[in-house]
Amino acid sequence: VQLQASGGGLVQAGGSLRLSCAASGRTFSWYVMGWFRQAPGKEREIVAAIKWSGDNTYYADSVKDRFTISTYNAKRTVYLQMNSLKPEDTAVYYCAVRSTWYSGTYVYTGDLEYDYWGQGTQVTVSS
């Protein structure tokens, strides 16, 4: 699986951006798609994740009610809609996929669980 992330940029606080992550190759319902971010001097953290089937999602507390993760199966694309952006959202955002089969609705949030990563896209929020 190869992932291509796009949609980052510079935006003022309170603004919105939509990140996209297109997956090449086959995708399966058990895949978990995640968005992570890493700010300078900080560790990489989970932002949001979704099972490819769309039946379960996870959001970090810091982005709940502001960000929305979704999938568009026909385009094998996962989106991260980011609203009410804050300067502390500034980071490089990465999409990733966990491809190991499993049953159930649990959405994995640890970055070590993910085995394919996109190249990252910079999001900068000015105050």
Side-chain angles (χ1 to χ4, degrees):
V1 178
Q2 289 185 321
L3 303 175
Q4 182 70 41
S6 60
L10 173 63
V11 64
Q12 288 188 332
S16 298
L17 283 174
R18 188 177 78 160
L19 304 183
S20 301
C21 178
S24 63
R26 295 189 66 183
T27 56
F28 298 94
S29 61
W30 61 84
Y31 280 15
V32 181
M33 305 299 296
W35 283 101
F36 294 78
R37 66 186 181 188
Q38 188 167 21
K42 294 188 176 181
E43 292 187 353
R44 185 165 58 190
E45 62 177 358
I46 183 82
V47 176
I50 186 170
K51 200 168 180 183
W52 192 260
S53 59
D55 56 1
N56 206 7
T57 57
Y58 168 86
Y59 294 95
D61 288 342
S62 59
V63 306
K64 277 181 182 176
D65 301 323
R66 298 190 298 123
F67 291 10
T68 303
I69 190 170
S70 61
T71 58
Y72 185 12
N73 290 345
K75 290 189 176 181
R76 295 197 295 272
T77 300
V78 60
Y79 300 102
L80 185 68
Q81 178 67 44
M82 306 185 295
N83 299 328
S84 302
L85 282 161
K86 304 175 181 179
E88 50 264 44
D89 294 318
T90 295
V92 177
Y93 284 70
Y94 299 89
C95 61
V97 61
R98 184 186 188 276
S99 62
T100 304
W101 182 89
Y102 73 110
S103 62
T105 58
Y106 178 75
V107 178
Y108 289 85
T109 60
D111 60 351
L112 295 180
E113 294 284 351
Y114 289 74
D115 42 14
Y116 297 98
W117 291 80
Q119 83 284 10
T121 184
Q122 176 71 46
V123 172
T124 303
V125 184
S126 62
S127 57

